[in-house]
């Protein structure tokens, strides 16, 4: 597939509209968003902002499908539909990879690997839905059979950000529909391309109309969706401040909620660590998706005995990273998402400087003519920093990490936990007793020992503290999309 042909197709398509009740009706709103290619700032495609009437249509279609079709199916029927969706996604791997490379600026090699993984998310939940079972309970009455039924919630509103558009959408859609719910997805207005292709895959897979709906638009569309009385659950991934607004809206309507929010994850390196391995993990967390990863380890908490060697090794590793055009197979790090994000990342240079931290850029890209039209930034470190500084506490969401030093285990773990966030953490030590103590002490939803943070579909993932509520991935994500009913059956003589 040529990305030039794909770009031409997107540019000449007019304004894309929503996927409602199995169809792509002509959009009725007057506002549209333009999505830009972060590698060169040029427009890629136009997407309509959903009106409140269109949000209404999508929620009503989902409700109808829930009541009449999807909520009544057997597990096996849902399984078979989901298998077909996985096959449709697999068939589109190459196209989806290019769409996310164009839209998000991810290196094409990374996009291909990500897209190859996605059908498994659908397959996984298609398989584990068979484990949705109730229990028979021992109760204190004769002649009463008391058992539980695990039931779907109804209609789920799924709101996702721009950094992993399709991955995060499917991590919400698959468990929700596996459990028998129907959904309305709202992708980010910044990266809608792969969600449009997903809608086509849903239609081609023959998923019944209304089970999966997609409405495009920004905060206004999201806001209309979360306040809609026909929504039973809101599952949101995005920034912590938006998450708080969503939590408040959910409270007003007593809606269930899953929130996957921001992070400032620690990577704790003890003096007995495998240093080259720790350096490699820190490097990957700096450059992966240009540092725009919620769980990335951006606070590097290093024992003072190895701190100089660690910083030297990491600086060298980051200096060698191949920054470039995302469509190039050799590229390791592309641009950040847009001009606003680039400005935000750059602004922290000044913030750190005023606080007394030393800013070290690991490459000079100012002279790179090939990068001048895109939103590129070089990997950087803040040295001589303290954990009280804003550069240690706030999510920068770019290839920028802060290095902090410690002397004792207690101090290292205190620094790791001294954060408003608690999404993930990494620890490097060869001492297995310390590894276990650390895993227990660190307040984070995922702790990785001698390994980088990797969220897999089979294991629950979700934040402690201000990083979120509830879990995504694993069986738990599907259970969070259900409710439990107790049935009490009297079978004595009447
Ligand atoms: P964002 O909060 O600005 O937007 C996320 C989504 O919410 C978008 O679709 C947006 O249109 C929508 N939205 C905005 N205002 C809304 C409102 N008032 N009501 C309803 N919807 C609204 O986040 P972003 O900038 O797109 O993404 C970056 C953030 O996402 C980072 O903070 C990152 O840490 C977080 N994130 C978290 C995880 C996780 O698993 N914990 C994963 C990826 C990203």
């Amino acid at each position: 597939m040529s990305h030039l042909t794909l770009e031409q197709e997107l540019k000449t398509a007019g304004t894309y509209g929503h996927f409602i009740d199995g169809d792509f009706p002509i959009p009725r709103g007057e506002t549209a968003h333009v999505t830009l290619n972060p590698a060169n700032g040029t427009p890629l495609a136009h997407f309509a902002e959903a009106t409140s009437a269109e949000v209404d249509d999508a929620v009503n279609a989902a409700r109808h499908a829930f009541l009449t079709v999807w909520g009544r199916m057997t597990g096996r029927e849902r399984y078979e539909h989901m298998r077909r969706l996985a096959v449709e996604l697999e068939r589109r791997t190459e196209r989806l990879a290019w769409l996310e490379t164009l839209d998000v600026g991810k290196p094409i090699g990374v996009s291909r690997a990500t897209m190859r993984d996605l059908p498994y998310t659908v397959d996984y939940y298609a398989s584990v839905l068979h484990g949705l079972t109730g229990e028979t309970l021992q109760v204190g009455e004769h002649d009463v059979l008391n058992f539980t039924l695990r039931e779907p919630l109804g209609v789920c509103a799924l709101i996702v950000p721009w950094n992993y558009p399709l991955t995060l959408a499917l991590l919400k859609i698959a468990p929700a529909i596996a459990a028998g719910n129907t959904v309305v997805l709202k992708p980010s207005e910044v990266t809608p391309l792969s969600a449009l292709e997903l809608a086509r895959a849903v239609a081609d897979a023959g998923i019944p109309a209304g089970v999966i709906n997609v409405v495009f638009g920004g905060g206004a569309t999201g806001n209309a969706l979360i306040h809609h009385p026909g929504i039973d659950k809101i599952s949101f991934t995005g920034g912590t401040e938006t998450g708080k607004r969503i939590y408040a809206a959910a409270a007003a309507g007593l809606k269930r909620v899953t929130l996957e929010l921001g992070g400032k994850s620690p990577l704790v390196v003890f003096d007995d660590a495998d240093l080259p391995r720790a350096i490699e993990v820190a490097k990957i967390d700096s450059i992966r998706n240009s540092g725009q990863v919620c769980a990335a380890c951006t606070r590097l908490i290093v024992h003072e005995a190895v701190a100089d060697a660690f910083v030297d090794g990491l600086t060298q590793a980051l200096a060698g990273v191949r920054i470039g055009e995302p469509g190039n197979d050799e590229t390791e790090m592309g641009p950040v998402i847009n001009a606003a994000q680039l400005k935000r990342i750059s602004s922290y240079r000044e913030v750190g400087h005023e606080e007394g931290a030393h800013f070290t850029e690991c490459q000079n890209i100012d002279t790179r003519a090939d990068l001048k039209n895109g939103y590129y930034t070089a990997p950087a470190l803040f040295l001589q920093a303290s954990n009280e500084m804003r550069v240690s506490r706030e999510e920068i969401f770019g290839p920028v990490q802060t290095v902090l030093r410690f002397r004792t285990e207690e101090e290292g773990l205190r620094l790791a936990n001294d954060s408003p966030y608690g999404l993930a953490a990494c620890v490097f030590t060869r001492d297995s007793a310390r590894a276990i103590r650390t895993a227990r002490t660190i307040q984070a939803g995922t702790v990785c020992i001698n390994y980088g943070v990797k969220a897999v579909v089979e294991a629950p993932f979700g934040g402690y503290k201000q990083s979120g509520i509830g879990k995504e991935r694993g069986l738990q994500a599907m259970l969070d999309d259900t409710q439990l009913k107790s049935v009490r059956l009297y079978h004595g003589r009447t």
Side-chain angles (χ1 to χ4, degrees):
M1 160 174 305
S2 151
H3 64 90
L4 295 174
T5 326
L6 188 55
E7 281 188 71
Q8 194 55 26
E9 176 193 322
L10 297 169
K11 275 187 188 129
T12 51
T15 300
Y16 287 111
H18 322 285
F19 180 60
I20 298 173
D21 208 12
D23 203 4
F24 292 94
I26 293 167
R28 306 205 289 274
E30 285 174 5
T31 315
H33 294 271
V34 185
T35 167
L36 303 177
N37 183 341
N40 51 34
T42 57
L44 285 169
H46 291 73
F47 280 78
E49 168 104 30
T51 61
S52 54
E54 286 166 323
V55 169
D56 213 29
D57 290 349
V59 175
N60 291 339
R63 173 70 52 197
H64 184 72
F66 173 67
L67 292 175
T68 60
V69 188
W70 199 253
R72 294 179 171 201
M73 273 186 189
T74 62
R76 181 168 177 160
E77 287 166 331
R78 292 203 300 275
Y79 165 85
E80 280 164 1
H81 279 293
M82 290 180 71
R83 280 290 303 126
R84 284 204 298 279
L85 177 58
V87 169
E88 278 302 325
L89 289 171
E90 200 157 10
R91 216 167 56 74
R92 291 167 152 84
T93 302
E94 185 65 7
R95 185 176 165 89
L96 284 167
W98 276 107
L99 286 170
E100 287 217 343
T101 285
L102 290 170
D103 218 9
V104 191
K106 287 180 204 289
I108 185 64
V110 174
S111 288
R112 284 195 179 111
T114 307
M115 294 305 148
R116 273 198 294 269
D117 240 22
L118 289 188
Y120 178 64
T121 298
V122 180
D123 270 336
Y124 170 79
Y125 283 105
S127 305
V128 297
L129 72 82
H130 303 297
L132 274 178
T133 55
E135 292 174 294
T136 311
L137 304 168
Q138 297 293 335
V139 290
E141 299 136 299
H142 294 287
D143 304 327
V144 172
L145 175 63
N146 200 148
F147 59 94
T148 57
L149 294 175
R150 199 165 269 286
E151 298 188 328
L153 296 165
V155 180
C156 302
L158 314 178
I159 300 180
V160 293
W162 46 259
N163 61 339
Y164 285 94
L166 195 56
T167 305
L168 297 175
L170 283 172
L171 282 167
K172 293 184 187 305
I173 292 172
I177 65 170
N181 303 282
T182 57
V183 303
V184 180
L185 170 73
K186 193 205 81 63
S188 168
E189 66 278 26
V190 181
T191 55
L193 294 183
S194 53
L196 175 68
E197 194 61 25
L198 167 69
R200 293 173 176 152
V202 167
D204 289 353
I207 304 283
V211 173
I212 299 172
N213 305 273
V214 184
V215 290
F216 295 103
T221 301
N223 199 50
L225 191 56
I226 59 176
H227 284 99
H228 197 289
I231 294 295
D232 300 293
K233 171 168 180 179
I234 306 168
S235 180
F236 169 80
T237 300
T240 295
E241 289 316 310
T242 319
K244 288 178 184 170
R245 282 199 288 281
I246 289 183
Y247 199 25
L254 270 184
K255 295 173 175 147
R256 303 293 187 89
V257 74
T258 297
L259 301 172
E260 292 288 347
L261 309 176
K264 190 81 180 176
S265 299
L267 182 145
V268 185
V269 184
F270 284 99
D271 52 356
D272 63 346
D274 177 341
L275 216 53
R277 199 174 160 90
I279 289 169
E280 181 62 17
V281 165
K283 172 194 142 182
I284 289 168
D285 272 19
S286 173
I287 66 167
R288 185 167 42 176
N289 211 18
S290 306
Q292 304 162 118
V293 179
C294 54
C297 288
T298 48
R299 286 186 305 138
L300 310 176
I301 301 174
V302 192
H303 191 281
E304 62 171 7
V306 293
D308 288 341
F310 178 87
V311 170
D312 285 351
L314 180 58
T315 311
Q316 269 180 38
L318 291 171
V321 167
R322 292 186 300 275
I323 302 174
E325 220 281 309
N328 183 337
D329 281 328
E330 301 297 306
T331 294
E332 289 180 283
M333 184 171 104
V336 298
I337 190 70
N338 55 25
Q341 188 62 15
L342 185 60
K343 194 169 163 207
R344 180 184 148 78
I345 295 166
S346 311
S347 74
Y348 275 95
R349 186 183 187 140
E350 197 48 41
V351 169
H353 180 69
E354 277 171 16
E355 291 179 312
H358 179 74
F359 182 77
T360 306
E361 221 160 19
C362 301
Q363 289 190 29
N364 178 6
I365 59 167
D366 295 346
T367 51
R368 294 269 307 266
D370 57 327
L371 306 184
K372 74 176 186 330
N373 293 326
Y375 309 120
Y376 290 92
T377 186
L381 298 173
F382 280 111
L383 305 174
Q384 290 153 29
S386 78
N387 199 43
E388 285 67 45
M389 293 177 179
R390 282 180 59 197
V391 294
S392 301
R393 304 197 81 75
E394 296 176 12
E395 187 180 49
I396 299 175
F397 227 49
V400 184
Q401 295 162 307
T402 303
V403 180
L404 303 163
R405 296 174 182 233
F406 70 93
R407 290 197 187 92
T408 62
E409 180 179 324
E410 193 190 0
E411 188 191 4
L413 297 184
R414 184 180 53 73
L415 286 171
N417 281 337
D418 181 9
S419 168
Y421 296 111
L423 192 53
C426 284
V427 179
F428 280 82
T429 178
R430 287 191 169 96
D431 177 339
S432 54
R434 176 155 62 194
I436 291 167
R437 277 198 303 276
T438 308
R440 286 180 182 273
T441 309
I442 289 189
Q443 296 156 5
T446 298
V447 180
C448 300
I449 311 281
N450 297 327
Y451 201 59
V453 173
K454 186 163 184 239
V456 294
V457 70
E458 300 90 346
F461 181 85
Y464 282 20
K465 300 194 269 185
Q466 304 233 344
S467 289
I469 293 176
K471 294 290 173 194
E472 230 151 47
R473 303 174 187 258
L475 179 63
Q476 191 58 45
M478 191 171 59
L479 295 179
D480 286 357
D481 289 340
T482 65
Q483 52 196 339
L484 214 50
K485 179 181 282 174
S486 172
V487 180
R488 294 169 58 74
L489 175 72
Y490 177 71
H491 55 83
R493 292 180 196 285
T494 50

